[in-house]
Amino acid sequence: MELREATTDDVETIRDIAANSLNSTYTDFLDADVIDDAIEQWYGEGFDEELRSDHSLVLVVEEDDEVVAFSQSDLVGQQHGTGRILWLHVAPDARGSGLGVRLLVRTRERLLDEGADQIQCFVLADNERGNEFYAEQGFEQAGQREVEIGEETYTENVYVEQEIGDEEWATLDELEVDGETIYVNYGEATRGSQSPFYVAYESQERDSQYGWFCGNCDSLENAMDAMGRIECNVCGNRRKATRWDASYL
């Protein structure tokens, strides 16, 4: 999974992913014409300007050089300290591999890096699976707000992360490795040169560590030396030594 900021060249692809995502999961409670209105309202002529805004963050995920998912966020409030994740969309054909969880994690990290001290997520109240998704990732519903789509008004649930900090936030992602299920805890991270490494466990109880998951290339193929340095064998992402290396004294 390669994550990068969206450019104006991605607008049409983002629009298509949003349309396919909404039409695949929202038709139980949104009419087709309402979905068309939403796509035009959010990803029409004004979307180019949003991409250029200093307080807007649109990230895209590429797999095999193809954009398959995106997140749309912004920074608002006093000192722009509230990071709001407005939408996460994964192309229907790319679902089922945990991509949505990893996109949420990386979007959260970017908002924190941009100075956010609170993270909020928004999802339509009628979107049962979307509400379950945020609850499963450790967010709590804190309120509701009204959003206009075309000529209709709908209710969105607002989810918040109560405590900011890696030790306070935990979300497990299941991965299949050589026929085994491995659990990656995105709440336990250590900084790498390109992206964090996350602790991977052998069970949901997190009582036995399996290894380290590279957040840059989604690989478990890495090595740690006696000084605590980790290097990903796939992309070269590195974590520095965790204590003084005698060779440098």
Side-chain angles (χ1 to χ4, degrees), residues 88-150:
L88 291 174
H89 282 298
V90 179
D93 292 344
R95 293 175 182 172
S97 63
L99 185 60
V101 175
R102 293 195 285 277
L103 177 56
L104 170 64
V105 170
R106 298 290 292 278
T107 301
R108 171 186 177 269
E109 290 170 352
R110 282 295 305 272
L111 289 171
L112 295 178
D113 287 343
E114 294 292 330
D117 54 26
Q118 182 188 49
I119 303 295
Q120 296 180 350
C121 306
F122 297 85
V123 61
L124 290 176
D126 290 328
N127 183 359
E128 183 177 344
R129 183 65 195 97
N131 283 272
E132 289 176 353
F133 173 78
Y134 285 115
E136 288 169 354
Q137 311 317 320
F139 290 85
E140 297 182 7
Q141 185 178 341
Q144 293 182 321
R145 71 172 189 171
E146 300 302 310
V147 58
E148 292 185 4
I149 305 176

Side-chain angles (χ1 to χ4, degrees), residues 223-235:
M224 176 187 285
D225 65 16
M227 302 306 299
R229 288 178 293 233
I230 306 172
E231 180 169 354
C232 177
N233 297 331
V234 176
C235 69

Side-chain angles (χ1 to χ4, degrees), residues 20-68:
N20 291 333
S21 175
L22 290 172
N23 279 299
S24 68
T25 56
Y26 284 68
T27 52
D28 288 344
F29 52 91
L30 292 182
D31 294 335
D33 57 344
V34 174
I35 292 177
D36 290 341
D37 287 342
I39 297 302
E40 186 59 35
Q41 178 178 327
W42 297 326
Y43 306 107
E45 292 182 1
F47 189 58
D48 283 10
E49 183 176 344
E50 183 170 345
L51 286 179
R52 291 190 288 268
S53 170
D54 291 338
H55 304 302
S56 177
L57 178 66
V58 180
L59 302 174
V60 297
V61 174
E62 285 187 340
E63 289 189 338
D64 298 324
D65 297 322
E66 179 182 359
V67 175
V68 295

Side-chain angles (χ1 to χ4, degrees), residues 7 13 25 28 81 86 122 153 164 178-179 182 191 209 217 233:
T7 70
T13 301
T25 56
D28 288 344
L86 304 172
F122 297 85
T153 300
I164 293 296
D178 296 330
I182 303 302
R191 188 175 297 275
Q209 183 174 344
C217 69
N233 297 331

Side-chain angles (χ1 to χ4, degrees), residues 141-210:
Q141 185 178 341
Q144 293 182 321
R145 71 172 189 171
E146 300 302 310
V147 58
E148 292 185 4
I149 305 176
E151 298 181 355
E152 302 291 333
T153 300
Y154 296 87
T155 299
E156 277 189 328
N157 288 335
V158 181
Y159 286 84
V160 299
E161 180 181 354
Q162 295 293 347
E163 298 287 343
I164 293 296
D166 287 333
E167 293 182 359
E168 301 292 342
W169 190 68
T171 181
L172 291 179
D173 186 19
E174 296 185 16
L175 299 177
E176 291 295 324
V177 179
D178 296 330
E180 301 180 78
T181 301
I182 303 302
Y183 300 86
V184 178
N185 182 16
Y186 292 113
E188 294 182 77
T190 185
R191 188 175 297 275
S193 58
Q194 301 176 58
S195 186
F197 287 95
Y198 305 99
V199 178
Y201 290 96
E202 296 180 357
S203 68
Q204 285 182 302
E205 290 71 28
R206 292 183 284 168
D207 50 13
S208 181
Q209 183 174 344
Y210 179 88

